[in-house]
Amino acid sequence: MSKSFDVIVIGGGPGGYIAAIRAAQLGFNVACIDEWKNDKGGPAPGGTCTNVGCIPSKALLQSSEHFEQAGHHFAEHGIGLKDLSIDVPKMLARKDTVIKQNNDGILYLFKKNKVSFFHGRGSFVKAAEGVYEVQVSGEKTETIAAKQVILATGSQARALPGVPFDEELILSNDGALRIGGVPKKLGLIGSGVIGLEMGSVWRRLGAEVTILEGLPTFLGAVDEQIAKEAHKAFTKQGLKIELGVKVGEVKTGKKGVSVAYTDAKGAEQRLEVDKLIISIGRVPNTTGLNAEAVGLQLDERGAIVVDDECRTNLPGVWAVGDVVRGPMLAHKAEEEGVAVAERIAGQHGHVNFNTIPWVIYTSPEIAWVGQTEQQLKAAGRAYKAGTFPFMANGRARALGDTTGMVKFLADATSDEILGVHIVGPFASELIAEAVVAMEFRASAEDIARICHAHPSLSEATKEAALAVDKRTLNF
Ligand code: FAD
Ligand code: NAI
């Protein structure tokens, strides 16, 4: 006899573990199955985000930023340092400790909320009379059952065709986060979010970094003005970004990796590097689910097909996060997880896809919410724009980080905020105000009339809102 639950969640990443906790809070008897193993073979819930994504990348970005500051910026504060060095194994060990704290935190939260955790792979066995049987294959094999199943199996790095990851020379995000020493030359394919974050980490630590990007434009999804500013800053830092390339043969050998490519002018080129990170997007994880056993519908990319409310084609089966359509972001996965748990409870869970913030944790950071100027133009929407540079912000000057700006886009008639775009210090934190404003459908004037603490970077947000009406005070 299989053990029965009200809700089974397959996948313990941000989509799955949050869905499980919310469902338990709502009074359901919940099981969460996750197969991720730590280096001792034990459970490591938290998914890509905790183990090989958001958390470890931010840990390394922090360590490398300290190194960069110490090497290049401490002197201007009058702080002298001799013999600055980086101990990469120690930096990686710190990152692993941060990961473990998060894994343990999730296991604690499961206990606290009485979620039954199963360590192993979850796959469908069958469906009968609205009840789904799911087999857990871990140290032991057991079968559990529920009428409601939430699938949150996430995604994995997309490989270049014919170039499998070996995680020694050809690295996915996994290998990129555990390079044991600073490579002399590092190559990356794809100047998207991972390319820029990982490229920044290893450049700061001393690697010569070249990123090959297929598209002719840099960060095409980002507001053009912001992307241009960011590109300028990255180039100044020494990050080499080649746009409009066509990657050809990739060969590995004793000396490292050799990448043949055609550059934007059509000339044949070769990039020789010690290691190559492939960061060209991610593919949904559905292979282990045995979707065929129950007739779960997948699309041509292998993503689970869902409606706006995360319902699959099967009654009682839902899917959230990277394994479905939409941006592959941890907070998007979490919001969907909460909304699904609430819908199962008969509540009106809701995710506003128009106000999901994006952040790229480089230096300068890039963050945005809502529409870009190019999107508004393409839609023929009449808008007003206001920008304010950090160069004119007192706190930014005191911090010694005046790169970038805040940019507001507001409806030409109603003044409703349509998008906010930031490149500069702590953009990741500043964007929250813009998200709140857009959720409450605030006008640019609303922000312009709110008292912001002085001196703070958030004054640049207020000033950019004032700039929409051409009345900045400090610029
Ligand atoms: P995942 O986190 O992928 O979790 C899925 C889990 O399900 C995994 O533990 C997997 O092992 C498990 N699983 C899969 N199949 C089965 C099965 N059949 N049985 C049992 N378990 C199974 N997003 C941000 O918002 N901010 C960031 O700063 C950020 N940084 C990132 C940095 C990197 C390097 C990468 C790669 C990604 C980053 N992301 C970031 C994206 C973020 O990690 C994902 O959007 C997020 O993890 C998606 O959550 P999820 O729950 O859908 O899936
Ligand atoms: P991405 O989609 O951000 O960028 C991929 C880049 O590779 C694009 O610019 C694309 O044009 C380019 N590309 C694709 N195929 C190519 C080819 N054959 N040759 C050359 N260039 C090619 O994907 P990435 O960086 O792999 O990250 C995956 C996802 O993970 C992100 O989209 C994001 O959802 C998530 N993520 C989020 C982070 C954050 O929120 N800070 C950090 C890291 C990842």
Side-chain angles (χ1 to χ4, degrees):
M1 258 279 286
S2 51
K3 213 169 170 188
S4 280
F5 291 89
D6 298 323
V7 181
I8 295 174
V9 183
I10 306 183
Y17 91 78
I18 289 290
I21 289 173
R22 184 70 189 118
Q25 282 176 348
L26 290 162
F28 293 115
N29 182 16
V30 183
C32 182
I33 310 168
D34 187 81
E35 64 178 345
W36 207 293
K37 287 184 184 145
N38 60 26
D39 53 4
K40 294 185 184 71
T48 301
C49 169
T50 301
N51 294 295
V52 291
C54 323
I55 301 299
S57 60
K58 267 79 255 180
L60 296 190
L61 278 157
Q62 189 59 50
S63 300
S64 59
E65 182 60 17
H66 283 322
F67 186 69
E68 171 106 340
Q69 289 293 326
H72 300 281
H73 303 289
F74 274 16
E76 70 209 41
H77 294 266
I79 304 169
L81 265 180
K82 270 197 205 132
D83 305 327
L84 181 69
S85 66
I86 178 76
D87 180 340
V88 173
K90 195 163 180 183
M91 174 184 81
L92 297 181
R94 174 189 175 272
K95 174 218 46 162
D96 291 339
T97 305
V98 176
I99 293 174
K100 189 166 182 317
Q101 286 165 346
N102 283 271
N103 296 143
D104 291 348
I106 295 166
L107 289 171
Y108 161 78
L109 289 171
F110 281 160
K111 261 202 192 121
K112 181 181 161 201
N113 288 282
K114 301 190 174 51
V115 171
S116 303
F117 177 66
F118 291 83
H119 189 212
R121 169 163 290 189
S123 47
F124 283 111
V125 179
K126 64 174 186 201
E129 292 164 22
V131 177
Y132 296 91
E133 261 185 34
V134 175
Q135 179 173 299
V136 185
S137 316
E139 259 182 23
K140 53 181 182 174
T141 300
E142 53 194 315
T143 306
I144 58 179
K147 282 189 173 172
Q148 300 286 338
V149 180
I150 304 174
L151 304 171
T153 47
S155 66
Q156 53 185 296
R158 185 156 78 86
L160 266 179
V163 189
F165 296 115
D166 60 19
E167 305 299 359
E168 279 301 321
L169 294 173
I170 309 283
L171 313 176
S172 70
N173 55 297
D174 183 5
L177 289 160
R178 46 187 177 82
I179 300 177
V182 182
K184 200 162 172 293
K185 288 186 174 182
L186 176 69
L188 296 100
I189 312 282
S191 69
V193 198
I194 295 182
L196 292 172
E197 290 188 356
M198 287 296 100
S200 293
V201 166
W202 295 104
R203 182 207 55 78
R204 290 170 190 168
L205 298 178
E208 192 184 307
V209 176
T210 306
I211 310 182
L212 300 180
E213 166 59 46
L215 290 178
T217 41
F218 178 65
L219 285 179
V222 175
D223 186 272
E224 259 171 39
Q225 193 179 1
I226 298 292
K228 227 184 226 168
E229 189 77 11
H231 189 261
K232 212 165 65 190
F234 297 145
T235 308
K236 201 168 147 202
Q237 290 164 6
L239 211 53
K240 253 172 80 186
I241 305 167
E242 279 207 47
L243 301 173
V245 311
K246 193 165 180 334
V247 174
E249 196 188 17
V250 177
K251 279 198 294 200
T252 55
K254 276 199 189 116
K255 285 195 182 148
V257 189
S258 170
V259 184
Y261 67 98
T262 313
D263 70 17
K265 292 188 183 124
E268 298 299 321
Q269 305 282 1
R270 193 166 278 283
L271 175 70
E272 312 278 353
V273 287
D274 301 311
K275 290 184 186 286
L276 183 72
I277 298 174
I278 311 283
S279 47
I280 55 168
R282 298 179 61 79
V283 289
N285 253 340
T286 43
T287 40
L289 274 175
N290 197 19
E292 318 78 58
V294 287
L296 177 71
Q297 195 188 344
L298 308 179
D299 69 12
E300 61 289 349
R301 293 183 315 128
I304 299 172
V305 177
V306 288
D307 67 8
D308 288 350
E309 299 202 319
C310 297
R311 284 186 180 82
T312 70
N313 65 312
L314 303 172
V317 180
W318 312 73
V320 302
D322 280 13
V323 78
V324 303
R325 45 79 198 119
M328 289 185 169
L329 295 173
H331 41 284
K332 175 264 193 183
E334 291 182 14
E335 293 303 312
E336 286 183 332
V338 167
V340 163
E342 292 177 351
R343 285 171 196 140
I344 292 173
Q347 299 183 0
H348 299 281
H350 180 68
V351 182
N352 184 356
F353 286 94
N354 297 321
T355 55
I356 294 176
W358 274 85
V359 178
I360 306 178
Y361 294 81
T362 42
S363 176
E365 291 186 343
I366 305 167
W368 70 98
V369 58
Q371 303 198 61
T372 61
E373 199 163 349
Q374 58 267 29
Q375 282 173 327
L376 293 175
K377 276 187 186 143
R381 180 98 182 237
Y383 66 91
K384 301 176 283 183
T387 57
F388 189 82
F390 284 109
M391 197 184 58
N393 175 274
R395 183 76 194 281
R397 285 197 207 111
L399 280 174
D401 192 354
T402 53
T403 314
M405 70 183 89
V406 181
K407 173 172 180 174
F408 265 63
L409 296 167
D411 185 87
T413 316
S414 68
D415 197 37
E416 179 177 350
I417 302 167
L418 303 174
V420 177
H421 306 269
I422 308 174
V423 53
F426 295 101
S428 54
E429 301 296 330
L430 293 173
I431 201 66
E433 179 181 7
V435 177
V436 173
M438 285 187 64
E439 272 293 337
F440 285 92
R441 300 196 60 179
S443 63
E445 190 185 350
D446 287 328
I447 300 301
R449 286 187 180 278
I450 289 171
C451 181
H452 288 67
H454 177 78
S456 72
L457 297 170
S458 70
E459 286 173 291
T461 307
K462 177 190 171 97
E463 289 271 12
L466 279 165
V468 169
D469 200 29
K470 298 193 172 40
R471 55 190 189 96
T472 52
L473 297 164
N474 284 288
F475 189 63

